[in-house]
């Protein structure tokens, strides 16, 4: 196909623009990495761009030796693992009946769920409810109140609804119960979508912040994002011990950079695996009835 | 007559019972999900009645006194409320004007890319920030715009004085909108790209035969086909118009920028959760939901005139 001159120019500009914009998605992280590996003097005198200047591991050694971050890391890993498992269990068990014609209350239940998407309860009644349930300062407050992500559940349901009817019929001929159809037939066939949704949940738990702000007052139970926020606000706290001892191989700038990356690296590590699935998975979530 | 109606009712009832007996497992399975939605969605929704009470934490909903619309009347005379409402509405409008079209435009630009390898790499990079938390993105924003950050590094090359962007009111809303676009524009394209992928290639071939340029094809084929998707997303957006998301603003706000950046959610957190003004802040929250629903209702009506609405 022949291109006009205008179209060629547009193409060129489009490629350049997209490449430049895409670069801005990654460069901040590389910049932070460079800052975290630079000497404090270089970092504060605006010499560091994408490569470390006066290379040193000191800020990383310091934050990795700082017990506070590891405690929060452990809490976040715990809620991510336990939460993802429970969320998947609840979501699958909810999605399956809602996907099946044999389930009589399918429509009113779906309506009831869609209503909660349109009418969010205000923050205070939500807060009071969770508090009444005795979950203040409990890690359950980071899991249970968001157990089912409505959108995630709908993704699973939409996938289940796409299963061919012949599968059900033949399974029933073989004497399969409803639970049998779910666990022996639907779930094995849904691996890609289950993987996608699990990863969405896992990332959600990893990034949990607002619920920690609302419900966790005990600093010993802060998840990673909350701890990160505190350290970003008052990095002196993170630096204090060594600064007193006269160790100046890092400062608040390099420590902040290292801390941000510390909380982000796990996401970046799973990202290549994640992105194999998510585009397909999230397209399945288009709302339809 | 009545006899046969009763008989039909009875047979319907029997059919229901037979179905429930046969598929009892489905009805058992739904129980955990049902409990979840009741406890964490409907109970708080019902708990919104404290907006019409003088809610006292030790008396609870049943023991607290009813005050009718007093809390709402109080809001109308309350300076902070107007400030917070103005901030929320302004930022929400910016999000709608700049943030909403951004993924549509980006999807159209992606669609013009012919080199598949380039497209894949660029898209993966664009999706990445969506998976970072707002604490992390907030940290990055503060770092880049700080005194020793990249923004001021570049200013330095041109001999300009450093600017403390995060502490100055005139930059706050721009930063909020730009960082939101940065984080989610790529992710937002997914659904539009799916819509574009569903377009029948014959349409384009026919257009080319008629001598339509790429631009004409975009205007007359791609955009109209995307329109229903755009409309649905617009309606979903408008329903949560005033809900900007706590995490972002909370992580970008400093006391220096409260006057332009304090929004309903951050205010409700401070005044409600931290200071215990439960009833008044619930009234604000309810006000927010009602505005959202009204906007949704109005725009849905308008949408139904031309295309399918949400309902």
């Amino acid at each position: 196909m022949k291109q006009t001159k205008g179209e060629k120019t547009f193409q060129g500009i489009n490629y350049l623009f997209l490449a430049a914009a895409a670069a801005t998605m990654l460069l901040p992280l590389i910049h932070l990495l460079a800052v975290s590996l630079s000497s404090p003097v270089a970092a504060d005198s605006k010499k560091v761009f994408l490569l470390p200047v006066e290379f040193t591991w000191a800020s990383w050694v310091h934050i990795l030796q700082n017990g506070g971050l590891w405690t929060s890391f452990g809490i976040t890993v715990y809620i991510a693992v336990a939460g993802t498992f429970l969320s998947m269990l609840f979501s699958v068990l909810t999605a399956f009946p809602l996907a099946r014609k044999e389930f009589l209350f399918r429509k009113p239940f779906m309506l009831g769920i869609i209503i909660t998407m349109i009418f969010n309860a205000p923050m205070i009644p939500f807060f009071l409810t969770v508090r009444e349930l005795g979950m203040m300062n409990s890690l359950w407050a980071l899991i249970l109140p968001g157990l089912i992500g409505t959108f995630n559940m709908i993704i699973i349901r939409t996938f289940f609804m796409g299963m061919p009817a012949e599968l059900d019929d033949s399974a029933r001929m073989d004497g399969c119960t409803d639970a049998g159809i779910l666990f022996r037939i639907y779930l094995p066939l849904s691996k890609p979508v289950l993987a996608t949704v699990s990863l969405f949940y896992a990332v959600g738990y990893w990034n949990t912040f607002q619920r920690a702000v609302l419900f966790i007052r005990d600093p010993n139970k802060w998840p990673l994002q909350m701890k990160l926020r505190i350290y970003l606000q008052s990095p002196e706290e993170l630096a204090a011990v060594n600064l007193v001892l006269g160790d100046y191989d890092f400062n608040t700038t390099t420590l902040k950079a290292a801390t941000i990356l510390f909380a982000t690296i796990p996401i970046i590590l799973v990202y290549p695996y994640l992105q194999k699935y998510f585009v397909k998975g999230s397209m399945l979530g288009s709302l339809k009835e | 007559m009545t006899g046969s109606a009763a008989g039909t009712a009875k047979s319907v009832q029997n059919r229901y019972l037979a179905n429930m007996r046969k598929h009892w497992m489905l009805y058992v399975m739904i129980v955990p999900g049902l409990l979840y939605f009741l406890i964490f969605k409907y109970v708080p929704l019902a708990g919104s009645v404290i907006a019409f009470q003088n809610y006292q934490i030790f008396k609870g909903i049943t023991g607290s006194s009813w005050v009718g619309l007093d809390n709402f009347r109080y809001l109308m005379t309350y300076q902070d409320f107007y400030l917070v409402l103005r901030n929320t509405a302004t930022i929400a409008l910016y999000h709608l004007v700049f943030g909403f079209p951004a993924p549509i435009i980006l999807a159209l630009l992606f669609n013009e890319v012919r080199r598949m390898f380039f497209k894949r790499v660029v898209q993966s990079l664009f999706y990445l920030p969506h998976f970072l938390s707002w604490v992390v993105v907030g940290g990055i924003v503060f770092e880049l715009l700080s005194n020793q950050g990249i923004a001021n590094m570049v200013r330095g090359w041109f001999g300009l004085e450093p600017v403390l962007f995060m502490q100055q009111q005139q930059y706050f809303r721009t930063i909020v909108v730009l960082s939101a676009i940065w984080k989610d524009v790529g992710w937002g394209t997914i659904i539009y790209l799916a819509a574009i992928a569903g377009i029948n290639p014959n349409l384009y071939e026919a257009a080319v035969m008629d001598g339509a340029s790429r631009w004409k094809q975009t205007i007359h084929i791609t955009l109209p086909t995307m329109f229903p998707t755009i409309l649905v997303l617009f309606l979903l957006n408008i329903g949560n118009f005033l809900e900007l998301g706590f995490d972002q603003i909370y992580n970008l706000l400093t006391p220096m920028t409260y006057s332009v950046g304090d929004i309903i959610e951050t205010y409700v957190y401070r005044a409600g959760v931290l200071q215990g003004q439960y009833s008044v802040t619930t009234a604000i929250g309810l006000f927010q939901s009602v505005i959202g629903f009204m906007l949704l209702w109005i725009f849905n009506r308008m949408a139904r005139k031309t295309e399918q609405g949400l309902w």
Side-chain angles (χ1 to χ4, degrees):
Chain A
M1 205 190 306
K2 271 189 74 139
Q3 285 186 314
T4 66
K5 207 173 166 207
E7 280 170 7
K8 269 189 195 152
T9 317
F10 169 78
Q11 282 285 344
I13 294 174
N14 191 22
Y15 276 81
L16 277 179
F17 171 77
L18 288 177
T24 70
M25 306 283 150
L26 196 59
L27 293 184
L29 293 173
I30 298 178
H31 169 72
L32 284 181
L33 184 64
V35 168
S36 73
L37 294 172
S38 296
S39 77
V41 179
D44 276 348
S45 55
K46 305 182 199 179
K47 282 185 192 149
V48 186
F49 190 46
L50 295 176
L51 289 173
V53 176
E54 298 166 31
F55 186 91
T56 166
W57 287 107
S59 61
W60 281 95
V61 171
H62 182 73
I63 67 158
L64 295 180
Q65 284 176 346
N66 184 299
L69 266 180
W70 284 114
T71 313
S72 298
F73 185 86
I75 288 168
T76 295
V77 169
Y78 172 77
I79 63 161
V81 172
T84 305
F85 173 75
L86 288 174
S87 284
M88 285 309 287
L89 184 69
F90 270 63
S91 303
V92 164
L93 287 181
T94 310
F96 183 67
L98 292 176
R100 300 190 60 88
K101 296 194 176 50
E102 294 87 354
F103 185 69
L104 294 172
F105 309 119
R106 196 162 49 110
K107 288 213 167 140
F109 279 21
M110 268 318 279
L111 183 69
I113 287 168
I114 303 281
I115 285 174
T116 67
M117 291 175 94
I118 296 174
F119 291 103
N120 281 324
M123 189 193 292
I124 299 300
F126 175 72
F127 169 76
L128 293 174
T129 305
V130 176
R131 190 163 80 171
E132 283 297 298
L133 291 167
M135 287 192 223
M136 283 305 276
N137 279 325
S138 150
L139 294 186
W140 287 114
L142 302 178
I143 296 178
L144 293 182
L147 199 55
I148 298 180
T150 310
F151 213 73
N152 288 339
M153 191 276 286
I154 291 176
I155 290 178
I156 300 175
R157 172 179 180 260
T158 311
F159 193 82
F160 283 170
M161 290 201 304
M163 294 281 184
E166 294 80 18
L167 268 180
D168 288 21
D169 296 340
S170 64
R172 229 177 265 297
M173 299 275 261
D174 296 340
C176 225
T177 60
D178 285 311
I181 292 177
L182 171 60
F183 287 104
R184 294 216 204 125
I185 297 171
Y186 276 33
L187 288 191
L189 289 173
S190 310
K191 273 182 197 151
V193 82
L194 296 179
T196 310
V197 176
S198 304
L199 285 163
F200 285 166
Y201 275 128
V203 171
Y205 283 113
W206 191 267
N207 289 339
T208 297
F209 178 69
Q210 187 181 6
R211 284 204 292 275
V213 173
L214 286 176
F215 303 126
I216 310 291
R217 300 282 158 78
D218 176 358
N220 295 318
K221 290 182 179 169
W222 275 336
L224 193 54
Q225 302 297 335
M226 189 73 193
K227 198 79 173 182
L228 174 60
R229 156 86 189 176
I230 301 296
Y231 281 155
L232 290 179
Q233 269 194 323
S234 49
E236 299 77 18
E237 208 175 303
L238 182 58
V241 188
N242 286 53
L243 287 183
V244 172
L245 295 175
D247 182 347
Y248 293 106
D249 256 3
F250 53 81
N251 69 355
T252 54
T253 308
T254 60
L255 281 181
K256 272 195 214 173
T259 327
I260 293 173
L261 286 176
F262 179 81
T264 311
I265 283 170
I267 298 266
I268 296 183
L269 289 182
V270 299
Y271 184 68
Y273 174 67
L274 186 75
Q275 65 140 338
K276 259 202 311 204
Y277 293 109
F278 61 57
V279 174
K280 219 167 136 204
S282 40
M283 278 178 192
L284 294 168
S286 43
L287 282 163
K288 57 182 173 189
E289 168 62 316
Chain B
M1 205 49 200
T2 45
S4 86
T8 323
K10 196 159 189 183
S11 80
V12 167
Q13 204 184 13
N14 280 339
R15 244 176 342 112
Y16 270 54
L17 280 176
N19 168 289
M20 289 178 77
R21 204 169 297 141
K22 188 170 165 206
H23 295 289
W24 62 271
M25 280 179 182
L26 294 179
Y27 296 87
V28 173
M29 275 182 206
I30 199 85
V31 170
L34 197 64
L35 287 176
Y36 167 77
F37 280 99
L38 283 178
I39 296 173
F40 293 107
K41 301 283 181 182
Y42 279 94
V43 168
L45 216 47
S48 304
V49 296
I50 65 170
F52 306 97
Q53 288 188 325
N54 177 16
Y55 181 77
Q56 310 266 303
I57 192 83
F58 296 110
K59 292 183 185 166
I61 289 179
T62 44
S64 298
S65 56
W66 294 89
V67 297
L69 293 175
D70 278 7
N71 290 318
F72 293 89
R73 270 184 222 116
Y74 172 68
L75 283 182
M76 297 301 143
T77 63
Y78 189 44
Q79 276 303 309
D80 282 7
F81 175 66
Y82 287 105
L83 177 80
V84 168
L85 186 63
R86 201 187 62 217
N87 290 342
T88 311
T90 314
I91 296 175
L93 200 64
Y94 286 172
H95 275 314
L96 202 64
V97 173
F98 300 103
F100 184 75
I104 302 173
I105 296 167
L106 186 63
L108 290 175
L109 294 180
F110 277 156
N111 191 40
E112 295 305 316
V113 173
R114 293 283 164 266
R115 288 164 214 258
M116 279 304 132
F117 178 74
F118 178 84
K119 193 171 173 181
R120 263 209 313 277
V121 172
V122 164
Q123 280 180 316
S124 314
L125 286 174
F126 265 100
Y127 297 143
L128 175 65
H130 173 78
F131 294 96
L132 308 180
S133 73
W134 268 116
V135 187
V136 165
V137 176
I140 293 174
V141 170
F142 268 96
E143 156 68 27
L144 296 184
L145 298 179
S146 72
N147 195 21
Q148 56 271 46
I150 285 187
N152 281 316
M153 199 158 122
V154 174
R155 283 181 71 88
W157 295 343
F158 297 98
L160 296 166
E161 290 295 307
V163 174
L164 290 171
F165 293 96
M166 294 310 290
Q167 271 113 42
Q168 301 213 354
Q169 299 177 358
Q170 73 255 43
Y171 299 117
F172 186 79
R173 289 167 181 165
T174 313
I175 292 168
V176 165
V177 175
L178 283 179
S179 60
I181 292 178
W182 182 79
K183 187 171 188 287
D184 282 321
V185 66
W187 190 250
T189 61
I190 288 183
I191 194 144
Y192 295 116
L193 287 171
I196 293 176
I199 300 176
N200 185 347
N202 292 341
L203 288 176
Y204 288 114
E205 276 170 34
V208 171
M209 297 288 251
D210 293 341
S213 61
R214 294 287 321 171
W215 174 246
K216 292 261 181 202
Q217 292 170 36
T218 307
I219 294 294
H220 295 294
I221 301 174
T222 319
L223 265 180
T225 335
M226 285 165 81
F227 189 69
T229 311
I230 295 175
L231 196 68
V232 167
L233 289 189
F234 180 80
L235 290 174
L236 289 175
N237 242 292
I238 208 84
N240 300 320
F241 183 68
L242 293 181
E243 280 154 48
L244 302 178
F246 174 85
D247 282 12
Q248 179 191 16
I249 307 285
Y250 187 79
N251 280 300
L252 292 177
L253 208 54
T254 65
M256 274 85 85
T257 46
Y258 276 163
S259 64
V260 291
D262 200 13
I263 57 162
I264 291 178
E265 281 143 301
T266 48
Y267 180 79
V268 166
Y269 170 69
R270 283 205 319 280
V273 176
L274 295 185
Q275 291 162 25
Q277 299 182 43
Y278 297 119
S279 281
V280 172
T281 48
T282 302
I284 300 182
L286 218 50
F287 177 83
Q288 180 187 27
S289 302
V290 169
I291 296 280
F293 183 71
M294 274 165 46
L295 285 171
L296 178 64
W297 190 76
I298 293 168
F299 279 92
N300 191 57
R301 269 188 82 98
M302 282 163 57
R304 278 163 55 125
K305 292 236 161 74
T306 53
E307 288 256 351
Q308 272 302 102
L310 267 191
W311 67 81

